[in-house]
Amino acid sequence: MSGAGIRRVVCGLVDGRRVALTLGDHSFQVWSMDDHQQMGDPFTVPDVGSVWGGIAYGVMRERPVAVVVGGGLRVWDLVERRQLSHTSVNLGLCDVACTQLNGELIAVTGGYDQTVQVWHAATGRRLSGPMRGHTSVIRSVACGAMHGRPIAVTASEDHTVRIWDLDRCQQIGQPLRGHDSEVEAVAYGVLGSRPIAVSGGRDGTVRLWNLDDPDRPAATLVGHDSRVHAVALAKVSGQIVAISGGKDVRVWDVRRRLQLGPPLFDGRDIGIISSIACGTRHGGTIVLAASASERVRVWDLNVHRDLGSVTPDRYASELPTSWTDPTTGDVYDLTCELVDAYGSTWELVDYDGTEPIVCEHPLDPRVTFGIADAHAEYDFGDIVTPKDRRHRSTSRRLDDEDDWFDGDDL
């Protein structure tokens, strides 16, 4: 999956198909998790001058919807592909999360005005006055439950995480303190029967919070060498894990408070992680990480769980002899010598389950490419048969700005 300036990625279900929603500056897209194909055209935000900051998935009256915020709040029906509500606000909203309150879908937002607000998704009407407490920008919002009551958890540049009772519209307890700098991301989960949260911040730490005991100091997970932009919680084979993203993506055992295996890595540059989501694909738990490189990388956590603590020289037990690009339909013959349009020799070095990984001679494992990216830039025309069977010229200019980028694979 690719797109210009991906800000957020979330998972959902549309017409019985597991999907990923990716948010750019002025539009969002829906992708099938099964075949990595884009489902329909992008949903374009009419206010092209607005930059949109957050997206959430929800179910409203048995219909899957997307809630997008930034310069305003908009709700789309993902089946009928139509906008249901639009609220223009000048709050500079940074994030949104959805939950149910009294049988109705609500959206909880936070942003530059430092307040937490609750909206009725069907009408876009604000349900209550703003909840105040944060003293700086709210960067991240997550929804969950405590003792059967809906709550929101927020992360702010004021170095705190806060818990909010959405029914009573008030803060629960004192701020959760521990981060030494701005908190950029928060996620909600359940460990046993206890509600928990995981947060990540510019201090490079990941922190685990017991929401039932907010006075207890957070458990600190250390491993990132720079700021943590994104976090998530997931279950893998019955085990609760936390996932965090900065310059790389790491997996943590929540109970033992230890990192599980090496960082998630497939040999390709993933850039700075802006958002993480977890879902399922073919029965396995997967991580989707959106990055500044305008890609969403996908990893199977069940496979990662078996890797141990040492990064393997090669992930794939067997390299493919052919590969079909799921986006373009182009077929790659991987039994032939891999030579680009400029005469340089390449080698197939790995396969991440999604795309073959290649490296130019002399081999440097730190500089590898997905084969589709390498073909688009350097041209492996001799081994590629286009879906339409038309011959592709191997004299393609490197600076041609064609449309190969518009429908990249997940």
Side-chain angles (χ1 to χ4, degrees):
M1 176 194 309
S2 74
I6 296 176
R7 293 174 171 268
R8 293 285 192 273
V9 57
V10 297
C11 295
L13 193 68
V14 177
D15 284 338
R17 300 176 66 181
R18 300 189 184 279
V19 300
L21 281 64
T22 59
L23 177 68
D25 283 349
H26 307 299
S27 67
F28 70 93
Q29 296 167 284
V30 181
W31 306 78
S32 168
M33 301 272 262
D34 291 329
D35 59 14
H36 302 169
Q37 295 286 345
Q38 184 175 321
M39 297 171 61
D41 295 329
F43 290 74
T44 302
V45 178
D47 296 339
V48 295
S50 300
V51 175
W52 293 83
I55 186 170
Y57 170 86
V59 177
M60 185 171 67
R61 299 165 188 170
E62 301 183 350
R63 304 285 286 184
V65 299
V67 182
V68 181
V69 297
L73 183 146
R74 295 176 186 267
V75 180
W76 272 273
D77 184 313
L78 294 175
V79 175
E80 297 183 0
R81 301 181 63 85
R82 64 185 179 91
Q83 185 171 289
L84 300 177
S85 65
H86 169 214
T87 302
S88 295
V89 293
N90 296 316
L91 303 177
L93 301 176
C94 294
D95 201 16
V96 60
C98 288
T99 190
Q100 296 286 325
L101 178 64
N102 299 323
E104 294 285 344
L105 183 69
I106 61 170
V108 184
T109 62
Y112 283 92
D113 77 335
Q114 307 170 16
T115 69
V116 178
Q117 307 217 40
V118 181
W119 310 82
H120 185 247
T123 62
R125 178 174 53 87
R126 188 166 60 190
L127 292 180
S128 63
M131 292 183 280
R132 304 184 186 277
H134 282 296
T135 58
S136 190
V137 180
I138 299 171
R139 286 294 177 189
S140 182
V141 181
C143 285
M146 285 179 62
H147 312 298
R149 300 177 69 89
I151 63 166
V153 186
T154 53
S156 169
E157 290 188 1
D158 64 9
H159 303 192
T160 71
V161 173
R162 298 178 189 241
I163 313 168
W164 308 87
D165 185 319
L166 297 178
D167 193 17
R168 298 176 179 173
C169 293
Q170 63 186 27
Q171 185 173 319
I172 300 175
Q174 296 299 309
L176 306 182
R177 301 185 185 275
H179 283 284
D180 297 328
S181 187
E182 294 92 335
V183 191
E184 300 221 341
V186 68
Y188 169 89
V190 177
L191 180 62
S193 60
R194 291 176 298 173
I196 63 172
V198 59
S199 60
R202 295 188 186 182
D203 57 6
T205 68
V206 177
R207 297 179 187 254
L208 297 169
W209 309 88
N210 181 351
L211 300 184
D212 268 344
D213 190 3
D215 294 330
R216 178 182 295 182
T220 304
L221 308 178
V222 179
H224 289 281
D225 60 5
S226 63
R227 66 177 60 181
V228 178
H229 294 275
V231 293
L233 287 162
K235 182 177 287 189
V236 184
S237 302
Q239 178 184 19
I240 300 298
V241 298
I243 303 98
S244 56
K247 288 183 178 178
D248 54 23
V249 179
R250 296 172 186 254
V251 183
W252 310 86
D253 183 324
V254 170
R255 288 189 180 275
R256 295 188 297 154
R257 303 172 187 175
L258 298 173
Q259 184 173 322
L260 291 173
L264 298 176
F265 184 67
D266 58 11
R268 294 176 284 183
D269 175 32
I270 60 175
I272 302 299
I273 301 303
S274 60
S275 178
I276 290 176
C278 295
T280 59
R281 181 171 179 259
H282 304 316
T285 304
I286 62 171
V287 171
L288 299 92
S291 75
S293 63
E294 301 177 350
R295 291 288 192 276
V296 173
R297 296 297 190 215
V298 182
W299 291 275
D300 187 321
L301 283 182
N302 298 79
V303 172
H304 178 264
R305 192 167 178 264
D306 297 332
L307 290 179
S309 60
V310 180
T311 305
D313 293 331
R314 193 177 83 185
Y315 283 75
S317 58
E318 184 176 348
L319 297 179
T321 57
S322 67
W323 179 70
T324 301
D325 187 326
T327 298
T328 65
D330 295 349
V331 178
Y332 291 67
D333 182 354
L334 302 177
T335 63
C336 299
E337 185 178 15
L338 198 58
V339 179
D340 64 29
Y342 302 93
S344 297
T345 303
W346 295 65
E347 185 172 326
L348 174 62
V349 295
D350 209 345
Y351 178 64
D352 67 356
T354 300
E355 183 179 354
I357 310 301
V358 296
C359 185
E360 186 179 7
H361 282 278
L363 298 180
D364 182 349
R366 297 169 299 178
V367 185
T368 57
F369 296 80
I371 197 168
D373 286 355
H375 171 55
E377 185 168 354
Y378 298 102
D379 197 343
F380 300 137
D382 289 343
I383 69 162
V384 179
T385 302
K387 181 180 181 180
D388 59 10
R389 302 295 176 182
R390 293 194 301 268
H391 175 69
R392 289 187 177 182
S393 170
T394 58
S395 61
R396 180 178 178 270
R397 289 167 49 103
L398 288 181
D399 60 353
D400 282 349
E401 295 184 359
D402 58 16
D403 62 357
W404 71 271
F405 194 74
D406 291 339
D408 227 350
D409 62 321
L410 184 70

